[in-house]
Amino acid sequence: MNPSLNRHGAQSLSMVALFAALMAVMGLIPKIDLPFGVPITLQSLGVMLAGCLLGARRGLQAMALFLLAVAAGLPLLSGGRGGLGVFMAPSAGYLVGYAFAAGVTGALMARLPAGTPLRAAVSAFAASVLGGLVFLHALGIAGLVALAQMPLRQAFMVDLAFVPGDLVKCVLCALVVHTVAKALPDWRMGGRA
């Protein structure tokens, strides 16, 4: 067995577990309940960070691990929610979208320039907006239409309440990526080879 491959696998596994744990920690921050059943939480920032810092594959794996823990009943979502019931709530489209949005964000980040900390931050902002906001919100809207039986237009209008806060999260993600790129210049943003 090649020791460097073994070490790389262990590092990947630990990063996936670390970002799943980061999502759980973000769940400790109280949620803001909105009247239509979808709360405002900090956890979408974790989705953006996982994609930008881990890349598509490991970002998706980290969010899938987190969602598996939630489905198993661990109260890891904001407000101490967990169990299979959360996947039947109006917010289920957003929850299921966490893994896919991390993958899309990571795939975009891997294709955008990241040679300097500033470029990495700008790329992280763009990847977060497209993957962690636009793509995630599209899945959330689909969930509202399917599970809350909202008309598409109403679901879209309801979703707009999250956009300003999620744009702030995109900026925060870019700042974190800038800091990581400055402190760890060899970090492979977006899981680059």
Side-chain angles (χ1 to χ4, degrees):
M1 194 176 260
N2 185 342
S4 76
L5 285 178
N6 206 13
R7 190 181 85 216
H8 178 70
Q11 285 176 335
S12 282
L13 183 60
S14 64
M15 293 303 281
V16 165
L18 177 68
F19 273 80
L22 176 66
M23 283 292 284
V25 169
M26 288 180 169
L28 296 174
I29 296 165
K31 63 185 171 108
I32 300 170
D33 286 314
L34 296 178
F36 42 84
V38 181
I40 295 174
T41 73
L42 189 63
Q43 289 179 309
S44 54
L45 173 60
V47 172
M48 296 170 191
L49 288 170
C52 287
L53 294 174
L54 296 182
R57 183 177 53 83
R58 289 187 300 167
L60 185 141
Q61 290 170 341
M63 295 304 104
L65 176 61
F66 171 76
L67 292 172
L68 182 64
V70 168
L74 296 176
L76 303 178
L77 295 173
S78 287
R81 298 170 299 132
L84 291 175
V86 299
F87 294 97
M88 298 300 141
S91 60
Y94 296 96
L95 294 180
V96 172
Y98 281 0
F100 299 112
V104 168
T105 302
L108 291 168
M109 184 68 185
R111 286 166 180 72
L112 294 170
T116 67
L118 180 60
R119 282 188 183 150
V122 170
S123 294
F125 179 78
S128 294
V129 166
L130 294 173
L133 195 152
V134 173
F135 185 77
L136 181 59
H137 285 237
L139 295 176
I141 290 169
L144 288 170
V145 169
L147 296 169
Q149 302 296 307
M150 278 187 195
L152 180 59
R153 181 178 167 85
Q154 182 184 0
F156 180 78
M157 296 307 287
V158 161
D159 182 78
L160 288 177
F162 298 101
V163 172
D166 281 356
L167 281 172
V168 171
K169 293 173 198 171
C170 292
V171 171
L172 290 173
C173 180
L175 292 172
V176 170
V177 166
H178 182 269
T179 302
V180 169
K182 224 172 163 180
L184 302 167
D186 292 335
W187 188 282
R188 300 175 326 163
M189 296 295 168
R192 292 173 210 262

